[in-house]
Amino acid sequence: TLIGFSAQDGTADEHVVLNTWNNTGDYYIRVSGRNGTFNNRDPFQLKVTVLGGACGSFIPANLPPSGTNPTAGNFKTIILQDVNRMEGSAAEKSALVSKLQALAGRSEVQGVLVDLSLDPRIVAVRDQAIANSGCPYATNLWATEAQSIIKRYWELNSALAYVVLVGNDGVIPFFRYPDRSPVSPESDFEPPVLDNSISEANLRLKYVLSQDAYGARTEISLQDRTLPLPELAVGRLVETAAEASTVVDAYLSTGAGVAPRPSSALVTSYGFLEDGSRAVLQQLQDGLTPTSGPAPTIDSLIDPAAQPPEDPHSWTADQLRNLLLGSRHDLIFLAGHFNPSRLLAADYTTTVSAAEIAASPVNFTNALIYSSGCHSGYNIVNDQGVPGVTDAPPDWTQAFARKGATLIAGTGYQYGDADATEYSERLYLNFTQQLRIGTGPVAIGKALLTAKRDYLATTGVEIDGIFEKTILVSTLFGLPMLSVDLPNRIAAPTLPPVVSGTSPVLAGTPGATLKLHTADITITPTLQRVTKDLINAANNAPVQTVYYTGANGVVARPGYPILPLEIANVTNVDGVVRGVGFRGGVFADESNIQPHTSVPATELAGSHPVFYSPFFFPVQPWQVNYYDYLTDPLNGTIRLMVTPVQYKSNAAGSVTGTLRHFTSMQFRLYYSQDKSAAALAAPPTIAHVGTQVSGDTVQFSIEVNRSNEVAGVQEVWVTYSTVNGTTWQPLDLIRNPNNPGLWEGTLTGVQPADLRFIVQAASGTGLISLDTNQGDYYTPGIDPGALPLPPSSGQPQAQATTITLQNPPNAGAFGEQAAVTARLTSNGTPLAGQLINFGL
């Protein structure tokens, strides 16, 4: 959808291009002026153009009622099957159904087997999706109907823990999610598959395949898309009836679903995945080494990240074959570059194929293989492959299924970081750790489920793009209840709460009626400075970059400075943390620093980009993480995530700037148990920030609008610093008795021109508004939203400008340089000496 809005006099013209994906309903646009500036003389005009696309003409049909009637049976596992649509002979399909029935009857499984082919609603929505194969929305409707059966069983069986999907994407579909990753979108991936197939539509239209939603009751909204919060462990059996039977047979051969105790492991890696792979290797070494008895067999092929493929020491496919196909390994982590049927060796020349796995005599029964390779878990639907072009089966999912093994791998691109253990590296390291936590056998599916939840709960930035994709694409192919019992175990890590008690707000304030409580805390970061020596690709000159690590590692976001992470458990019985206010802090500035930036990588680790920011970034170096609490409101943890470092560039185009690190930060937490209509109200609106300067005195006048009469405005304060200072300090404002929307306060004994401040306002339910003047901070005596003087004043008037790129390059190879120029004009007249920022 293309949405354009403009002022009636033509002085403003803006466009919003929105892919509505699977969304239906209303779309809202808010137009606001800086620091409360508005113009009610010239209304805006809105024009909407619907561009349509593959789903533009699709109209969902009215579906018949479901024929599946869930029952209460204290079930732990639900098994969805449509075996008749799977590839295989009638005898193979019949044998698979019998084995699934035996699986469901196992005491540790306690399963219910649901035949989707008997449900008329499923059949109708399936046929609709096949008839509209070019529209992923139609496929998602099919998946949603299958999901609804699980949810209905879940309501009657609170002990439900596992979901088993029997069949490939053409039998029980993956859910499709928008691919918002900034690098390596799924549209770059070409397996290839048939035109006009469901698989092709998914790739060309940039969707990500995931089965997490089959085990989720809650999906959170992330702007134009949703993210499921997994609660049940989900596994999938692919692709033919015979292959699925082999995996079930492997499970049935165990005692109580526990694989023989692991005593061997293999880890492979090269390039930017080295750090994460070495961490996985260490966990496996520690976990497999018993306190007494024979030592485990631990093999590895891990090349240094800086070692080029052409180095004669880079490991080859033959070296991998000797280890992978020479003897059994119980636990195998394969990090490297994949396609659905081949693994590229560290020499970037030789490969190992999935077919070799399937044909080998090695016993992989109930072995666990997991991989951070791109598309190592992309199961090509056999009848959607291109004859004579697509690699013949098996792909990796089928190959390991034929061997009775469990595979955890990505259905899409999986990412690493050139310096940090981030993205898929962090997820699979956490998964490895989960196999070691606690006592007794650990279900593989639950270990992956917990690793995903921890990944969400320990991410210190907004979950977007690559973070979403990392969670969504990691997929278990096998039975999620299969368990392993490592000999050397560890206790689960703990994060003790930092708030022991809270205080009710003052009587007579809006929050008193709503039982609002507050707690003031101080975060004292544990920072370690790290330098990196790089080479400027343009002139081969050495460059030193800097970043800090925190007590809980780092936050790496594509193209942004790597930031330290401090996590505090702010869970408290007095309510849910509704808002966090910044009250002050102590900091130190380092000059002329080039920050070390994150480089997400899939096929290649790219160059570290130069980061530019005209204000201190991130503007808000704290946020609340609710993901663990949302998946488990009774036992989940609410976390305050603090990234106590900010960066500001010296000037436009400068590669260096000021790196500010905090030694302490003070916050006020607002706790509320209120669930009335007031709890749904938005935070207050800071309508206008005004100041008056007189000598060494600053008078603050802040206009704040309440969003709800009951929630009201609880308190408003200014947090201020000075240009060359080292602290932020709070100044609480007082409500004007004659104007309830006006909050005032005075600072004396200051140099107003050196003062910088931000404004925060809390509602009676604890929601916070933060106004930082778009990151630039406010200066007393300056109103950034002030309207220009009228023409009658005789003052120079602002003129409309136009900027045009001059013959910009539209393509280039990685590592090449390109010159970009722009022309700035006003009413057709070129303008000289003006500042233009180029962003890439």
Side-chain angles (χ1 to χ4, degrees), residues 26-116:
D26 297 324
Y27 181 74
Y28 297 89
I29 290 181
R30 177 181 179 182
V31 181
S32 61
R34 189 169 185 177
N35 199 24
T37 302
F38 66 94
N39 183 343
N40 55 15
R41 298 188 307 273
D42 300 309
F44 283 89
Q45 293 183 333
L46 182 68
K47 181 175 70 173
V48 178
T49 304
V50 179
L51 303 179
C55 298
S57 60
F58 171 66
I59 300 176
N62 292 322
L63 301 174
S66 173
T68 302
N69 297 311
T71 58
N74 199 29
F75 298 121
K76 291 176 58 179
T77 307
I78 182 170
I79 305 171
L80 300 186
Q81 62 96 353
D82 194 350
V83 170
N84 287 333
R85 301 190 66 250
M86 294 181 70
E87 185 178 336
S89 66
E92 290 170 333
K93 296 176 183 180
S94 177
L96 174 58
V97 172
S98 297
K99 292 172 182 179
L100 291 173
Q101 291 170 339
L103 175 69
R106 290 279 288 256
S107 59
E108 77 278 3
V109 176
Q110 291 180 240
V112 56
L113 186 61
V114 178
D115 186 349
L116 297 180

Side-chain angles (χ1 to χ4, degrees), residues 689-724:
V689 176
T691 56
Q692 288 185 340
V693 175
S694 177
D696 65 352
T697 300
V698 178
Q699 173 71 38
F700 297 93
S701 300
I702 313 298
E703 296 178 24
V704 181
N705 298 330
R706 61 189 183 186
S707 62
N708 178 277
E709 184 174 348
V710 176
V713 179
Q714 178 66 26
E715 56 184 326
V716 180
W717 71 97
V718 165
T719 311
Y720 64 92
S721 183
T722 56
V723 172
N724 296 310

